Amino acid sequence: MAPQIRIPATYLRGGTSKGVFFRLQDLPEACQVPGAARDKLFMRVIGSPDPYAAHIDGMGGATSSTSKCVILSKSSVPDHDVDYLYGQVSIDKPFVDWSGNCGNLSTAAGAFAIHAGLVDPARIPQNGTCVVRIWQANIQKTIIAHVPVTNGQVQETGDFELDGVTFPAAEIVLEFMDPSDDGDEGGSMFPTGNLVDDLEVPGVGTFKATMITAGIPTVFVNAADIGYTGTELREQINTDPAALKRFEAIRVAGALRMGLIKTPEEAATRQHTPKIAFVAPATTYTASSGKTIEAGDVDLLVRALSMGKLHHAMMGTCAVAIGTAAAIPGTLVNLAAGGGAREAVRFGHPSGTLRVGAQAKQVDGQWTVTKAIMSRSARIIMEGWVRVPGDTF
C-alpha cells in the first residue's frame, strides 16, 4: 500500500463557508493542471464521495458550505494580484463542480492571498486596508477585496458580526465587478431576455420565474407559488425528500431555459449552478439561532438551495444575484422587496439578515450592473499539511 503524502494546505472560514486552500505551486505536479488527478485529490481531501454523507474520513463537513477546495496563484491577468480557482466537491457523487464561484470564500481568497505571500509586499500597508485584486478564474471576473491589515499582517479579529457565523471577526468589504455574464453579445444578464418568465416544469407546474446571471446563475420563484412563506428554516426543507425533488425539477427546467445545459441529464454533473431560490415579502420570523427577525428590519425574505439542499444562511454569489435583481424594477426579487429603484437591499435568510448593494443601469434597453458590494469576514482556522493516500491520483 502506498504511504500517505502530505500537501501544504490552510483551512479557512470565509463568510458562512469553509474550505481547504492551496497554493498552486504546493500541489503535486499532476494536480497543478486541471483534470482527473486534481479532482481525485480534492475529493479525497474533502472525504467524497461519501455514501454516509458525513465526511468522517476527510476535511469536509457534509454540507455544501463546507465541501469546498480553493487554489490560489500569482495572477496571470494584468492589474490583478491573484488567480482564484474554486472547486465545489459533491458530497455523495464522484465529481468536482468547477462551473461557478463561491462568494463567501472570495472573502477568504483575499485574506489568504496576503497570508500566502502571493501579493506584492509593496501593495500591503503596515496598517490600514490592503486592496487585493482577485481574478476569479472559474467565471473570468474581477473581485476586489478590501482586507484590513495590522502590523503588516491580515487583521482577522474584530467586532463585525455576520449572521450564520458564531463569533465576530474583522470586516472585509467585497466588490464584485461587472458581475453579470455579459457573453460576447452583451445583454445576457437575463438569458431569456425577460425580467420574468413563465417557467414550465414538467410534472410540477408552471411558475413565474426571474432567471438572472449575476454573481452566479440563479432561478428565483415566488415562495407562495410553490407553497411556502419564505420563513422556512433548513430542516423544514431538507427533511422533505419530495420537496427537494420538486426544487431540483425547477432548477433543471431553469437551467434548460437559461441555456446552461442542453439535456436534463446534464444537470446531474452541474449541481453547483444554477442556484434555485424563493422570495417573499418581509414578515417577522424566527431565525435558526432563535433570534427574532422583525419585518421592519428587512426588505424581503429569501431562501436558497445549494447542491440540492436549503442553505443555512446565504451563498455570497447568490447574494450578488439578489442585490442585482432587487436593483432592477420588475423582477420577482424587486417586487418582493416592494418594487421601485433601489441601490441596496437587506434580506432575511434562515440565519438572520444580510445587506447587499448593487449599481444597475439600463443601456440601450439592456440592463447592466457595474458592481455589487457586500461585507463578510474571514479567518484562518488551521494551517499546515493535509494528508492523502499516495495512490489517490
Side-chain angles (χ1 to χ4, degrees), residues 331-355:
T331 69
L332 295 187
V333 180
N334 174 269
L335 294 173
R342 59 180 67 237
E343 287 197 349
V345 67
R346 184 177 293 278
F347 60 88
H349 55 73
S351 293
T353 69
L354 181 64
R355 183 183 187 276

Side-chain angles (χ1 to χ4, degrees), residues 134-325:
I134 302 166
W135 179 250
Q136 213 304 321
N138 300 74
I139 59 173
Q140 308 279 290
K141 292 290 182 180
T142 299
I143 301 169
I144 307 293
H146 299 265
V147 182
V149 173
T150 302
N151 297 325
Q153 302 294 317
V154 175
Q155 172 70 40
E156 295 180 293
T157 56
D159 56 9
F160 174 72
E161 295 190 354
L162 181 64
D163 286 339
V165 177
T166 310
F167 303 107
E171 180 179 10
I172 296 175
V173 178
L174 285 183
E175 296 179 87
F176 295 83
M177 310 306 293
D178 185 29
S180 64
D181 185 3
D182 302 319
D184 294 331
E185 299 172 2
S188 60
M189 184 194 302
F190 297 98
T192 67
N194 304 314
L195 301 184
V196 179
D197 284 278
D198 289 316
L199 180 62
E200 187 176 339
V201 184
V204 180
T206 301
F207 307 98
K208 295 291 183 188
T210 288
M211 289 170 275
I212 187 171
T213 301
I216 201 163
T218 306
V219 179
F220 291 102
V221 296
N222 288 318
D225 291 350
I226 54 174
Y228 294 115
T229 62
T231 62
E232 288 77 15
L233 301 183
R234 186 162 50 168
E235 294 74 18
Q236 292 166 264
I237 303 294
N238 292 346
T239 57
D240 186 344
L244 294 176
K245 188 176 180 181
R246 190 164 63 245
F247 276 118
E248 180 62 7
I250 297 171
R251 193 184 77 87
V252 171
L256 286 165
R257 281 291 293 274
M258 295 174 83
L260 297 172
I261 57 176
K262 291 184 172 61
T263 66
E265 291 73 27
E266 282 183 61
T269 56
R270 193 184 173 114
Q271 291 185 344
H272 183 51
T273 55
K275 301 302 186 191
I276 173 83
F278 53 102
V279 299
T283 188
T284 299
Y285 70 98
T286 302
S288 55
S289 64
K291 179 170 67 174
T292 298
I293 307 299
E294 300 291 346
D297 293 337
V298 293
D299 299 305
L300 78 160
L301 307 181
V302 191
R303 301 294 187 264
L305 284 83
S306 180
M307 302 295 282
K309 297 289 180 71
L310 190 76
H311 196 275
H312 69 103
M314 183 55 63
M315 305 80 84
T317 48
C318 198
V320 171
I322 292 164
T324 302

